[in-house]
Amino acid sequence: MTSGYWGDIDAMHQFCEAKYIMSPYFAEFWNATSNLPFFILPGCYGIWRSRSAYDFRIRVMWWSMVLVGIGSFMFHATMRFRWEMMDEIPMVILVLCGVFSKDDACWLTRGWRKHLVHVVCVSTAVLGMGAYLYLGAYDVFVGIFTVLVLMDAAVALSAVTQADEHGSHAAFGCMVAYVVCMSTGRALWDVEVASCTRGSGGRLFALHVVWHALSGIACY
C-alpha cells in the first residue's frame, strides 16, 4: 500500500515492514511504537533526573533523545517526507550534543582543539545534510550519521581511557557498551536494508525494531 490515513507515502527511504497492516493510522506500526520504550520514555526519565543538573548541555541531550523518538514515531507512522526530516535531523543534533557534552573533559576537547572539533563536526553535519537533501540519496544520510557517530566515539575514547578522580573505569565500560550496541544495531539495520524488499513485511522487518532498541540503549 502506498497511501493511507496520512496520505501518499513520499519518504526518501522506506523499510521492510508492511504498510498499514496493523492499524489504518500507522504505516509501520512496530517501527513507530518501538520508539516509545527505547527513546521517548527513557528520554523523559533523563529530563526528570537532570532537572537540577548544572550543565545545560546534559539536559539538551535528553531533550534531543525525546525529539528523536517523537520524530521517528511520526516518521514510521506516516512515511511522509516532512516527518522523515523530523527523525533524521534530530538524530544528527543528538550526536552533536554528545560531542559538545565532552568539552573540557580531556586534552582533545580543551583549548583550540575544542573549537576545531566543533567546527569539524558541525561542518560535517551541515554539509552532509545539505548534500543529502540536494542529491535525495538516503545512503548519504546514513554515511554522514555514521561518520558523526565515529567522531563522537573518538572524542569519547580520548576522555575515558584513564580512571576518573575516584579511580573508577565506569565511563570506559559505558563506552564499550555504547560501541557494541551501536555497531551491532547498525549491522542489523544494514542486513534489513540489503535483504528485505521494502514494504514486503518479511520476517527481517523486526531488525529495524532491534536497531531502535540497541541505539536507544546506546544513547541512554
Side-chain angles (χ1 to χ4, degrees):
M1 181 181 291
T2 58
S3 65
Y5 176 81
W6 300 100
D8 293 340
I9 292 174
D10 60 359
M12 284 192 187
H13 182 75
Q14 297 180 38
F15 301 86
C16 180
E17 185 174 354
K19 307 300 182 281
Y20 290 105
I21 296 298
M22 298 295 295
S23 167
Y25 305 108
F26 286 87
E28 295 180 351
F29 179 83
W30 297 111
N31 283 347
T33 56
S34 60
N35 286 283
L36 290 169
F38 300 128
F39 279 93
I40 298 175
L41 293 179
C44 289
Y45 177 70
I47 291 171
W48 179 74
R49 286 297 303 269
S50 64
R51 62 193 184 280
S52 59
Y54 174 76
D55 196 332
F56 178 71
R57 293 170 300 180
I58 302 301
R59 297 196 297 274
V60 171
M61 287 182 65
W62 290 118
W63 279 106
S64 297
M65 188 173 180
V66 173
L67 188 59
V68 168
I70 294 173
S72 182
F73 179 94
M74 290 303 301
F75 169 41
H76 288 291
T78 66
M79 282 286 103
R80 300 305 303 269
F81 174 76
R82 61 181 178 271
W83 285 109
E84 183 176 9
M85 292 301 98
M86 289 303 297
D87 174 23
E88 294 164 359
I89 293 175
M91 287 171 66
V92 171
I93 293 174
L94 177 59
V95 179
L96 291 177
C97 287
V99 174
F100 298 154
S101 71
K102 302 173 187 65
D103 286 355
D104 303 313
C106 63
W107 66 271
L108 186 58
T109 57
R110 295 193 186 102
W112 63 269
R113 288 179 293 268
K114 172 174 66 177
H115 302 297
L116 179 61
V117 169
H118 289 180
V119 170
V120 170
C121 290
V122 172
S123 298
T124 299
V126 173
L127 294 176
M129 290 302 291
Y132 164 48
L133 293 174
Y134 178 76
L135 298 172
Y138 187 71
D139 288 343
V140 174
F141 167 73
V142 174
I144 291 301
F145 178 71
T146 301
V147 168
L148 289 172
V149 169
L150 291 175
M151 288 180 175
D152 179 45
V155 173
L157 185 61
S158 67
V160 301
T161 50
Q162 303 294 324
D164 62 22
E165 60 184 2
H166 305 292
S168 172
H169 290 277
F172 181 76
C174 289
M175 176 66 190
V176 171
Y178 172 81
V179 171
V180 170
C181 288
M182 286 295 287
S183 58
T184 302
R186 170 61 198 278
L188 294 176
W189 181 4
D190 286 344
V191 170
E192 182 229 353
V193 172
S195 305
C196 188
T197 303
R198 297 174 184 177
S200 66
R203 288 179 296 179
L204 292 179
F205 89 86
L207 293 182
H208 197 72
V209 174
V210 176
W211 156 251
H212 282 173
L214 292 177
S215 60
I217 292 170
C219 290
Y220 190 80

